Amino acid sequence: MVNIELNGVCFSYPGADVLHDVTFSMRPGHITGLIGPNGSGKSTLIKCIDAILKPLGSILLDGKDVLKMDPVHRARTIGFLPQSSTSAMDSTVFDTVLMGRRPHSAWRISDNDINKVADALSQLGMQDMAMKQFASLSGGQKQMVLLARAICQEPKVLLLDEPTSALDIRHQLEVLNIVHQLVKERQISAIIALHDLNLGARYTDSLVMLRNGKVFSAGTPADLYSAEMIQEVYGVEAIIIEVLGRPHVVPISPSKPLPCTHYDNSDGFLLEIPA
């Protein structure tokens, strides 16, 4: 179980400041959702927590600076699911998921490692695809395989960057149900970047809303969601209703143009979005 604390996290790409003084904390057994418009810094923040990027400020896991952790220990602690895989990995689905055992097994593959892979694939209903080539899969199937790899890694912190972006509605629900179950049963921490506000309301314990690289607001979905907030942050007129005991956003129409911002995509390139 790991407590996570971010203090004054800032990050800039050449010529563009992306994150500004991001501060929040979370405890084990909780799912924190990162929400906000395109360009608000969600993907960049996920990569900073995973030490893919080197921010200013501090990111502490049980009081230990993530940037100073031994790489193997960090790999055993943090599991990362990117938005998509840009690699045409020349490996089977089974071997791709087996990579998640590398921090635990070094160069020797044990029966336990093989069982962990089989269990992860079975949990996601992908056992029949084990011998297929990863490169031949659809975007949604690749996303499911990468989630299986992260599960197989048995991390204490799970970072998911838009895990449902390539999935149909059934698989969106299945994936988030699995993540929710893992977090509660194993008492790990999960941080999920999401565009879908209603999935965020349903599957997270708390939300951190980013706007222009800063924390605009943080709290439970019930605390955050209001018609005024949606209009202020997203420039959309909406109504909020209750569904299954959670707030549900019903967008009506754009209300105003959003200011020009810098958008950091999953590859780290910067584009400018006109107002």
Side-chain angles (χ1 to χ4, degrees), residues 170-215:
R170 176 188 175 90
H171 287 98
Q172 288 179 12
L173 298 177
E174 287 180 347
V175 163
L176 291 177
N177 280 328
I178 289 169
V179 171
H180 186 271
Q181 181 180 356
L182 284 172
V183 168
K184 301 307 178 183
E185 288 183 352
R186 300 183 184 180
Q187 285 295 291
I188 65 175
S189 302
I191 300 177
I192 309 178
L194 290 165
H195 272 303
D196 191 315
L197 296 177
N198 294 321
L199 289 178
R202 181 172 176 180
Y203 285 100
T204 66
D205 298 295
S206 61
L207 293 167
V208 175
M209 174 171 285
L210 299 176
R211 185 178 71 165
N212 296 327
K214 300 177 182 178
V215 176

Side-chain angles (χ1 to χ4, degrees), residues 67-90:
L67 295 179
K68 297 178 182 178
M69 292 173 67
D70 175 77
V72 173
H73 178 59
R74 186 166 58 226
R76 290 175 178 171
T77 304
I78 302 174
F80 173 50
L81 177 66
Q83 281 189 30
S84 61
S85 173
T86 57
S87 171
M89 285 186 275
D90 185 20

Side-chain angles (χ1 to χ4, degrees), residues 38-168:
N38 287 346
S40 56
K42 300 185 296 296
S43 293
T44 295
L45 183 57
I46 289 279
K47 292 174 183 176
C48 288
I49 297 171
D50 195 38
I52 296 171
L53 301 176
K54 314 300 182 187
L56 300 175
S58 66
I59 300 172
L60 306 178
L61 306 184
D62 277 347
K64 299 177 181 178
D65 189 329
V66 70
L67 295 179
K68 297 178 182 178
M69 292 173 67
D70 175 77
V72 173
H73 178 59
R74 186 166 58 226
R76 290 175 178 171
T77 304
I78 302 174
F80 173 50
L81 177 66
Q83 281 189 30
S84 61
S85 173
T86 57
S87 171
M89 285 186 275
D90 185 20
S91 61
T92 65
V93 167
F94 191 94
D95 287 337
T96 301
V97 177
L98 184 61
M99 293 177 190
R101 298 302 301 164
R102 180 61 63 82
H104 302 279
S105 60
W107 298 108
R108 295 184 64 84
I109 299 171
S110 67
D111 290 342
N112 181 57
D113 294 327
I114 293 173
N115 290 335
K116 295 288 186 183
V117 173
D119 289 345
L121 289 173
S122 178
Q123 192 169 9
L124 290 169
M126 303 191 74
Q127 60 271 31
D128 294 339
M129 302 179 66
M131 293 299 107
K132 287 191 174 182
Q133 291 298 119
F134 178 82
S136 71
L137 303 182
S138 69
Q141 289 171 330
K142 289 179 179 178
Q143 196 77 342
M144 297 282 278
V145 172
L146 295 179
L147 176 59
R149 184 178 68 181
I151 291 172
C152 200
Q153 191 175 335
E154 296 186 304
K156 296 180 177 65
V157 176
L158 189 57
L159 306 175
L160 303 105
D161 190 4
E162 293 290 339
T164 60
S165 59
L167 303 179
D168 60 51

